[in-house]
Amino acid sequence: MPVPSIRHATLDDEETLGRLDRAVWSPLHSVQPRPRPPYEPFFNERFGPRDHLVAELGGAVVGYIRLGLPTSLECNSHVRQIQGLAVAEEARGAGVGRALLRAVQDEARRRGARRITLRVLGHNTAARALYESEGFVVEGTLPEEFLLDGEYVDDVFMGRPL
């Protein structure tokens, strides 16, 4: 099985990442409504190419991970937060998510981070298992924080030292 290659995103990835993001949308991992045309740009004032790593298999973009600051406070600048992870359906099970998680931790370290955190919906058991296998632990839970498709879903905070 081929190994995913990871690189920094570029402005040229705008359309491809936007299509991927829309294709993988699901209430399993998103609290936002299903995207509808006209679509918002993938890159914006808050998150640009610098904030994304891209996974490729066989030259095709099959995933991305977004790394941001959890707040704008200087006293919190030693922490980075994963604020989006997507893997194309056809690439799931090929190690893409794991490769992106490992690469983003290296990137966070390069940027001076001591910790990395994320939020995951409680019912997303596959993602939670992946995060736990990479050393993330549950640091807090907001019970029934979201109402998605008629079901109340927990918001789970996970983190790990770098």
Side-chain angles (χ1 to χ4, degrees):
M1 179 172 285
V3 176
S5 63
I6 308 296
R7 62 174 175 79
H8 286 89
T10 68
L11 283 173
D12 291 340
D13 293 315
E14 166 77 34
E15 189 61 36
T16 302
L17 293 177
R19 274 195 312 273
L20 172 64
D21 206 45
R22 293 187 295 274
V24 302
W25 182 94
S26 164
L28 182 64
H29 56 77
S30 181
V31 297
Q32 299 295 324
R34 179 180 296 280
R36 304 241 185 264
Y39 300 118
E40 295 290 320
F42 184 81
F43 298 128
N44 55 42
E45 311 78 47
R46 188 167 173 215
F47 297 110
R50 179 183 185 277
D51 304 306
H52 295 82
L53 296 178
V54 173
E56 293 181 332
L57 276 176
V61 171
V62 293
Y64 75 83
I65 195 163
R66 179 180 298 133
L67 184 65
L69 292 165
T71 72
S72 59
L73 301 170
E74 181 61 34
C75 61
N76 188 225
S77 65
H78 63 286
V79 179
R80 292 298 183 279
Q81 187 173 62
I82 295 169
Q83 297 181 345
L85 171 62
V87 176
E89 190 71 40
E90 67 274 11
R92 293 189 182 160
V96 173
R98 187 173 307 281
L100 284 165
L101 272 176
R102 290 178 178 173
V104 85
Q105 290 176 77
D106 290 341
E107 180 67 17
R109 281 186 203 95
R110 273 193 294 280
R111 294 184 187 187
R114 295 172 38 93
R115 284 182 37 77
I116 190 164
T117 63
L118 59 86
R119 295 168 69 174
V120 61
L121 294 174
H123 64 195
N124 193 344
T125 54
R128 290 178 65 181
L130 173 62
Y131 300 144
E132 287 172 3
S133 75
E134 287 298 315
F136 287 82
V137 296
V138 173
E139 297 181 337
T141 302
L142 295 175
E144 298 184 355
E145 186 70 2
F146 299 106
L147 178 61
L148 303 173
D149 285 349
E151 300 288 328
Y152 289 100
V153 180
D154 296 349
D155 189 9
V156 179
F157 293 80
M158 299 181 81
R160 63 161 294 163
L162 291 171

